[in-house]
Amino acid sequence: MTSGDLAGLFAEPQRLRAFAALVLGAGSVPEVAASAGLSVREAAVAVRRLRDGGLVTGGDLGNGDGGLRVEAGRFRELARARSAESRESAEAGAAADPLHRSVRDGRIVHLPARKGRRLPVLEHVVERSFETGRVYGEREVDDRLRTWCEGGATDHVTVRRYLIDECLLRREDGRYWRS
């Protein structure tokens, strides 16, 4: 059962009311019906569906005997499963995001070889290092790029070359500007 399945179980008002009655101590279908303001038939259908979903255990739905109880452990299982799904989803998203893998603490730790993954990293560097409309000397460009490359596997000259090749920076006569 997923969290969506759980939401589906509680989407029906009779099931929600039956579940509330069980949580508050009703132990049989007639008790659920009386507590939830449902007919015995509506209560039996709701309890059967809750049992099928694993949220309720015990009792014999046919004869009205007691012993129905909420399976609280099932909620813990669902919460753990949902937490694991969220973690896996976040990890998958991080793996797909080139910035997350390549830039940490304002440093390029890895410059991807594939252009499609490298370009977002280069765009990130340009956006944070160079103003549009301002002209920079080569020494200033190198200093700014060295900061990004400190402690990483990529040197600033390689990054500068990629920025020029991708037309993220323009160069003429030792002057650079953001295009």
Side-chain angles (χ1 to χ4, degrees):
M1 174 182 288
T2 66
S3 58
D5 297 334
L6 181 63
L9 280 175
F10 291 130
E12 176 68 37
Q14 287 86 358
R15 284 194 294 265
L16 186 58
R17 290 166 61 189
F19 186 77
L22 289 163
V23 168
L24 293 174
S28 67
V29 171
E31 289 175 5
V32 168
S35 179
L38 301 171
S39 71
V40 173
R41 182 178 178 285
E42 289 173 323
V45 169
V47 169
R48 182 174 295 116
R49 183 80 164 97
L50 292 168
R51 274 181 50 171
D52 291 347
L55 299 179
V56 174
T57 59
D60 179 4
L61 296 177
N63 66 17
D65 287 344
L68 291 173
R69 63 188 172 281
V70 171
E71 186 59 48
R74 188 71 177 126
F75 286 97
R76 281 190 294 277
E77 291 171 17
L78 288 169
R80 285 186 191 121
R82 180 70 177 141
S83 178
E85 288 172 11
S86 295
R87 258 192 323 277
E88 289 170 6
S89 176
E91 288 168 3
D97 178 15
L99 281 178
H100 180 78
R101 292 186 313 174
S102 301
V103 177
R104 289 197 193 105
D105 300 323
R107 303 281 189 261
I108 299 171
V109 293
H110 166 74
L111 192 61
R114 287 180 38 193
K115 180 179 179 176
R117 292 188 177 167
R118 183 176 57 236
L119 194 55
V121 175
L122 296 171
E123 289 170 342
H124 178 79
V125 170
V126 166
E127 288 171 7
R128 283 163 179 70
S129 300
F130 301 100
E131 297 173 30
T132 304
R134 180 169 171 212
V135 177
Y136 299 87
E138 188 166 335
R139 173 175 248 153
E140 189 175 5
V141 170
D142 285 348
D143 289 344
R144 288 171 185 253
L145 295 178
R146 256 191 217 102
T147 303
W148 281 98
C149 297
E150 283 178 14
T154 305
D155 66 290
H156 72 283
V157 176
T158 301
V159 174
R160 185 182 68 204
R161 186 186 73 233
Y162 280 132
L163 292 174
I164 299 299
D165 290 348
E166 298 298 336
C167 298
L168 296 171
L169 280 184
R170 298 286 185 179
R171 174 181 59 193
E172 187 177 307
D173 297 327
R175 302 276 180 220
Y176 295 79
W177 63 94
R178 185 174 164 186
S179 50

